[in-house]
Amino acid sequence: MTSIVSALTPEMAQRVDLVNGVLPPGVPDAARTIALALGLGTIWLSRGLARRKRRAWQLAVVVVFASALTHLAKGLDVEEATAHLVLLALLWRARRLFVAPGDPATVMPLAQVALALAVIVPILVLHLTGDEAWSPRVDNALLILVFAFAARALWLWLRPLPVTAAARGDRERAAELVQEHGHDSLCYFALRRDKSYFFSPSGKSFLAYRVISSTALIAGDPIGEASERLDLVREFVRVAHTKAWRVAVAGASNEALEDYAQLGFKSIYLGDEAVIRPSEFSLEGRAIRKVRQSVSRLEKSGYQARVLSTADTDVALRAELRAVSEEWRGNWPERGFTMAMDALFLYPDTVLAVAVAPDGSVGGFLQLVPSPASDGYSLASMRRRRDTPNGLMEFLITETVDWAREHAVVELSLNFAVFADFLRADEDATHATRALRWLLLKGDRLFQIERLHRFNRKFFPRWRRRYFCFERWTDLPLAGLAYLHAESLLMPPGPWVRTPDLAAR
């Protein structure tokens, strides 16, 4: 910031005269421009320095030293040059703190960019300093090219270390731990193929995460021995910091909040998960009459429900399920991260509840994933044809609850309702709560938050609170954006959507 202010304010006349008498004409003005550019570059580097990136520190040393020289050259600004030399000394003293490595795969692209600049910059200098008259358009075009290549080089140099896909052995071990310790309704979603795994030293617990824009987003609570949870997350945070990642947790439960708080994490309410107890569920009573009427209407129309294991689906049924999914999804991206699967037929221990129309075709379906260690199931996706009668999903869920009761399923987790507390706010709520509720209702057309919550309320579920945890309040904006990106909530519908449909796998 000092360089920017100094470059945009007048110099002291006596010092300028002294510099002009020593340096060639044009050098002070060029130094002023360079000082401004270096000041802006320092701001750009601040984020990398805050993440302790080694390459950001290396570049900062060069930039700060060059800034000190330009301040002397543009007007003998000894004060600004001294401040930069002090900053340089502090950077050198703290050099061992910057340990996050860069991406080695950027070496070749960087060499290509450097070669292009080595060709363009001399030509540009000849254009700007030559005696012949050159076209201003050519000069401007070359300047734009230099700026573009420089920005590309900076991006490559500061690009974070990429995350490699989980090895097959890690996935198999994670699946074993989910079978042994999968008590939570979100545990099975850790097996999505877009997640990486971090195991405890004993191998008895792990956490699933995904890195988006330097944010390591943990999905749900760690799975495994509860006694290892605190140390597992602590070690993961340490490793994440060495790679310049911030850490956040999406969908944390009440039980894990104390451990996160001990590690210094902040937490905010994220929403409620709707949970049905099949042994307690009933269609009797006036309050649930709308669901009862929907079920009765579908039964009279000739619809039937078929619940089967994914492994038992034949080729014809899979083709119909794909068609239903494609029709329902349209141009919308495939959403989900914490409570949705990335494939329909890949996981053999999942369950499908299929609505069969009177003509024998598939009208819609539910995908359910198990919570193996707690005899529970979680709803992963709901799809139906658009011309099916209203109430088809209510019919399917009710039939699924009956199936769950017959198979001694303890609980059935429905959809996750974001900010459900605020949607349930009444007239006595605070102004801030009512304002947030108004915003959520306005955004319902795009995100379907209120409609999903209203649908869940029909079944009078128990509400299980979930939280979003992060290390610092300053991390919340970027961590929140990373979470929205992971859930594909930032991607608008359209033909440009390239996310493959889960029913295709």
Side-chain angles (χ1 to χ4, degrees):
M1 188 60 69
T2 301
S3 295
I4 296 173
V5 174
S6 178
L8 296 177
T9 53
E11 308 291 346
M12 298 178 67
Q14 292 180 345
R15 295 184 181 180
V16 170
D17 293 340
L18 180 60
V19 169
N20 288 333
V22 176
L23 298 178
V27 171
D29 290 336
R32 176 187 289 270
T33 303
I34 294 174
L36 178 60
L38 292 175
L40 295 173
T42 304
I43 294 176
W44 189 346
L45 288 172
S46 61
R47 181 183 174 189
L49 292 172
R51 308 309 303 176
R52 298 185 179 183
K53 293 183 178 181
R54 185 68 180 176
R55 288 182 175 182
W57 176 86
Q58 292 169 345
L59 194 54
V61 168
V62 175
V63 168
V64 172
F65 180 72
S67 296
L69 296 180
T70 56
H71 281 295
L72 293 176
K74 74 183 182 67
L76 205 60
D77 295 331
V78 178
E79 297 82 1
E80 288 89 337
T82 302
H84 279 78
L85 291 176
V86 171
L87 177 58
L88 183 63
L90 293 175
L91 283 172
W92 183 257
R93 184 176 182 181
R95 62 189 182 278
R96 292 184 178 85
L97 299 177
F98 298 90
V99 294
D103 182 6
T106 60
V107 174
M108 184 57 68
L110 273 170
Q112 296 171 350
V113 171
L115 181 61
L117 287 173
V119 174
I120 295 174
V121 170
I123 297 175
L124 179 61
V125 172
L126 290 175
H127 277 217
L128 296 177
T129 60
D131 296 332
E132 299 183 16
W134 296 93
S135 170
R137 292 183 179 179
V138 174
D139 294 342
N140 292 336
L142 289 173
L143 282 171
I144 292 173
L145 279 176
V146 169
F147 175 79
F149 277 118
R152 168 74 173 168
L154 281 175
W155 181 81
L156 287 170
W157 185 254
L158 299 176
R159 188 171 70 179
L161 195 67
V163 182
T164 57
R168 182 176 179 178
D170 289 345
R171 291 196 178 280
E172 292 175 352
R173 180 56 183 154
E176 292 174 1
L177 290 174
V178 167
Q179 293 294 328
E180 295 172 12
H181 301 280
H183 297 279
D184 190 69
S185 53
L186 269 59
C187 63
Y188 198 88
F189 300 105
L191 302 181
R192 284 175 56 111
R193 290 168 297 170
D194 60 352
K195 292 183 172 70
S196 300
Y197 304 119
F198 187 85
F199 292 87
S200 65
S202 68
K204 296 181 179 180
S205 59
F206 78 100
L207 56 81
Y209 70 98
R210 180 181 172 188
V211 179
I212 300 174
S213 300
S214 297
T215 297
L217 193 63
I218 300 174
D221 296 336
I223 300 168
E225 296 288 347
S227 59
E228 294 185 347
R229 183 168 54 203
L230 180 62
D231 291 335
L232 174 64
V233 177
R234 179 186 289 113
E235 179 62 14
F236 178 75
V237 170
R238 185 193 68 79
V239 172
H241 287 174
T242 65
K243 298 182 179 181
W245 298 339
R246 66 184 65 83
V247 179
V249 185
S253 66
N254 272 311
E255 291 76 12
L257 283 185
E258 184 177 350
D259 288 338
Y260 294 127
Q262 287 188 44
L263 297 173
F265 277 72
K266 320 299 179 188
S267 62
I268 60 173
Y269 166 70
L270 184 60
D272 286 343
E273 180 187 353
V275 179
I276 293 176
R277 297 272 184 176
S279 60
E280 302 172 358
F281 182 80
S282 173
L283 288 177
E284 300 298 325
R286 179 177 175 80
I288 202 171
R289 68 185 186 281
K290 291 185 178 180
V291 175
R292 184 171 64 247
Q293 291 169 357
S294 296
V295 173
S296 178
R297 183 170 59 254
L298 268 293
E299 289 177 342
K300 291 179 179 179
S301 298
Y303 275 84
Q304 295 181 347
R306 179 187 176 196
V307 182
L308 71 163
S309 169
T310 301
D312 296 332
T313 56
D314 55 28
V315 175
L317 179 57
R318 291 190 178 197
E320 284 201 79
L321 295 175
R322 290 190 187 98
V324 171
S325 186
E326 290 170 1
E327 179 181 336
W328 175 252
R329 178 177 169 238
N331 286 330
W332 286 90
E334 192 67 75
R335 289 179 171 170
F337 174 70
T338 53
M339 203 172 181
M341 292 308 294
D342 60 338
L344 190 57
F345 307 121
L346 185 64
Y347 307 96
D349 49 351
T350 58
V351 170
L352 295 171
V354 182
V356 182
D359 61 359
S361 63
V362 174
F365 67 89
L366 307 177
Q367 182 193 22
L368 303 164
V369 301
S371 304
S374 62
D375 294 323
Y377 277 86
S378 296
L379 181 61
S381 62
M382 299 190 303
R383 302 287 165 88
R384 68 177 178 87
R385 292 196 181 276
R386 298 187 182 276
D387 59 354
T388 53
N390 290 332
L392 181 69
M393 288 297 114
E394 288 87 339
F395 166 75
L396 264 182
I397 288 179
T398 302
E399 292 295 314
T400 302
V401 172
D402 290 341
W403 169 86
R405 188 185 300 113
E406 294 174 2
H407 289 77
V409 174
V410 175
E411 68 174 33
L412 183 62
S413 174
L414 301 182
N415 293 302
F416 176 72
V418 179
F419 298 136
D421 264 2
F422 301 105
L423 293 171
R424 293 192 291 265
D426 53 25
E427 296 181 355
D428 296 331
T430 64
H431 292 293
T433 300
R434 282 184 288 173
L436 181 55
R437 183 177 187 274
W438 181 84
L439 288 174
L440 293 172
L441 294 177
K442 287 297 182 181
D444 185 62
R445 181 180 179 184
L446 182 60
F447 300 115
Q448 301 182 11
I449 295 175
E450 198 277 334
R451 275 174 284 180
L452 189 58
H453 174 254
R454 188 168 65 245
F455 177 83
N456 289 338
R457 290 185 67 177
K458 293 181 180 181
F459 301 94
F460 295 91
R462 298 184 179 188
W463 298 103
R464 180 176 294 157
R465 295 174 73 87
R466 295 287 179 177
Y467 299 87
F468 188 74
C469 304
F470 45 94
E471 296 179 87
R472 292 174 294 273
W473 285 104
T474 53
D475 288 345
L476 179 58
L478 292 176
L481 288 174
Y483 172 64
L484 293 175
H485 177 81
E487 296 283 358
S488 297
L489 292 173
L490 292 180
M491 187 180 297
W496 51 81
V497 174
R498 299 293 185 216
T499 308
D501 194 297
L502 66 83
R505 300 184 289 267

